[in-house]
Amino acid sequence: MQPRLTMESTLAGTHPAERLAWPRFILRELWLSWRFTGGDMSSAVVPALLFLVAACGHEGLGAGELLRALGRGVLYFWLYAYAFCLSNQLVGLEEDRLNKPHRPLASGEVSVRGTRWRWLATMMLLSLVGWVFGVWPWALLWQLIIVVHNEGGGARRWWAKNLLIAVGVVTQLGTAWELVAPLTPVAWRWIGVLASVVFFLVSLQDLRDVEGDRASGRKTFPLVFGEKPTRYMLATFFGLLPLVIHEALMKPLGLTPTVVVCDVGLALVSWVIAVRVVGWRTPRADHRTYLLFTYWYCLALLSTIVVL
């Protein structure tokens, strides 16, 4: 008579190191995913989750439904960010070895082959999760953007890079809302305005490493039009941005005290960026100025929670 196998008897006959192998593997992969994506959380994941919460509030969902929606959002946008960062760091490996040697691929913590397999697995998981959550068209569009931006060299030309990032904003925010409910005209207006803002102003990030971009052969906006004209153009745009946000997004909602507070807060951050982009011109200062822009983006989406 054959002995009956149980979970306990199976584990009892397994070497302790084997029982710990899978948990260690999973923890290491989660840690590596953070190492690849940690610097992009404020632009890739946090804004999406804020807009998702705004959609929940707009639909009047309860706490339980909100938590389930956040769970879907965390899973989807972790894959969303991870897929992009893996591809981006594979393509930019040689440059990262010089400028960002702390990154896991550049430091030798992981291999090129292993990173390529992680990227393929993440892309497949993103497609699967997008299908399960009913947002597969957005997932496929984002994957196309990743391939064109990174693998296809779109990031090397300023107009293609800005356009792809702007369309990426549409996929990011469109997915976030549709993880909760169908898109509304108001949601589309916010998505369209914010994507347009990003298209015109995301060249701010290219001021951080003009010499590195020149050496690598990129055609960024500052290199094509000149660094000084770029700074004054961006300062002008950031100076006028509060008027655009007020007329296009805030005014149609009615000038309630809450709307006014959000309007003023976004205006102040915009004007600080406008001053910094012409007044502080070191790579370190330009990096901080760009981070302020990502915070402005998060603040704009945080405001949707209370005004929509």
Side-chain angles (χ1 to χ4, degrees), residues 158 162 200-208 210 220-238 274 277-278 281:
W158 75 266
N162 288 21
F200 285 106
L201 298 179
V202 76
S203 292
L204 179 66
Q205 68 179 211
D206 296 322
L207 291 170
R208 300 176 296 177
V210 174
T220 63
F221 196 95
L223 287 175
V224 173
F225 297 100
E227 181 180 344
K228 187 175 180 180
T230 297
R231 288 185 183 277
Y232 282 101
M233 184 206 70
L234 288 172
T236 301
F237 283 179
F238 275 109
V277 75
V278 295
R281 303 191 180 195

Side-chain angles (χ1 to χ4, degrees), residues 42-144:
S42 64
S43 59
V45 177
V46 173
L49 295 181
L50 290 173
F51 205 51
L52 182 148
V53 173
C56 290
H58 187 269
E59 295 297 313
L61 302 187
E65 293 170 306
L66 170 62
L67 290 175
R68 286 191 290 273
L70 279 172
R72 295 193 297 272
V74 167
L75 175 58
Y76 181 90
F77 288 108
W78 165 60
L79 294 169
Y80 171 99
Y82 198 22
F84 180 87
C85 291
L86 286 167
S87 173
N88 185 254
Q89 291 177 39
L90 278 165
V91 172
L93 175 57
E94 295 305 320
E95 187 176 347
D96 283 349
R97 282 174 174 158
L98 295 174
N99 300 326
K100 299 173 183 176
H102 62 279
R103 286 181 165 178
L105 186 56
S107 66
E109 186 177 348
V110 293
S111 67
V112 171
R113 183 173 180 271
T115 303
R116 180 67 66 179
W117 277 111
R118 287 181 179 90
W119 178 60
L120 293 173
T122 303
M123 292 283 274
M124 288 188 289
L125 282 172
L126 181 60
S127 298
L128 177 62
V129 169
W131 175 71
V132 171
F133 291 164
V135 292
W136 62 267
W138 292 120
L140 295 181
L141 178 57
W142 177 239
Q143 290 172 319
L144 177 62

